[in-house]
Amino acid sequence: MADFVPVNEWGLFPAGDRPFVVAGPCSAESREQVLEAAQALRDCGTGVLRAGLWKPRTHPGGFEGVGARGLAWLQEARRASGIKVCTEVGSAAHVKACLEAGVDMVWIGARTTANPFQVQEICDALEGSDIPVLVKNPVSPDVDLWIGAIERLASSGIKKVAAVLRGFTTLDKTPYRNAPVWEMATLLGARLPKLPLFVDPSHIAGSAELVKELSQRALDLGACGLMVEVHPHPDQALSDAAQQLTPAQFGIMLSDLKVRSANCEDAGYQQALAALRAKIDDVDGRLLSLLAERMQVSRQIGVLKQEHSISIIQTGRWEAVLEAVRKEASALGLDQSMAERIFNIIHDYSVKAQD
Ligand code: PEP
Ligand code: MN
């Protein structure tokens, strides 16, 4: 797949910004609310204001957004505070309206990513533009559906693309509104290593109290950006009230977040790391030779048992070995359950070798 333009070259985020921050209300509700949010967020260093104009609601009858008339509020917020602006697009008509209004970035929502017809319609409407697009994960944990949407954008010549992990619908009960399933980000990263990853802790959390720890987790796992819901008065929000932070809470969160770097050029660090890695390689080599030696002995035992018509598995013996392993592991300060799991695997293969 085509290369992706790194986020720091999108011209949206202040230079040196880490993480890249997109924040703002779930929905644009009024001109005043958008302007107030934009100013407060600009004051905490946010690069891009988010505000949904067309809201995909699970149930009919909920607040479905103010629609295209909110574009003028985003333009005004942009002029007044200097912040860049983005909103969700779910159709070609939305894309057209956003491009005409000079919106700086758009995102494709989780329900839309799950629908290739809609994604294709959006891609066709985006063709020829240079606008950055964030692609939320589809509601179900299906990495191919997510990648498919990104491939469609690439085929339409859109190069400023990032994925947004916003959690998944699962039957399992979790403390979250949408289970994060962090492995999905790893799977996506393995398939598209150059694709930038954002995390939307707000839609994962479903409640404001969980947003900070999820944001930290996202950064620890290597996400380069966050999309966070922030509302000047969350208790009055017309959608997603429970998960939105106040600008003050958001500012504190941003200053508390610790950013780990992916790499470090410091020569001392590089040398110490190389020395420790050499030690690990040496230990791994010795572990493997010991395993080979052990398997050799197992095979000899197998031959001996066969010559004397003795059954391969002898439970009493294996229980005694495991007991000894647990004792030895704990004397060496090792996790007993780790040692037990490893020896069970070794035992399985020993039994196979005696067949
Ligand atoms: C949103 O960002 O407000 C939204 C509707 O998100 P999602 O598509 O992740 O549910
Ligand atoms: Mn929302």
Side-chain angles (χ1 to χ4, degrees), residues 26 50 55 88 107 109-111 136 166 203 229:
C26 177
R50 60 148 286 152
K55 300 303 299 176
E88 174 171 347
W107 80 83
R111 294 158 192 79
K136 296 229 193 171
R166 53 72 81 193
H203 286 89
E229 285 194 342

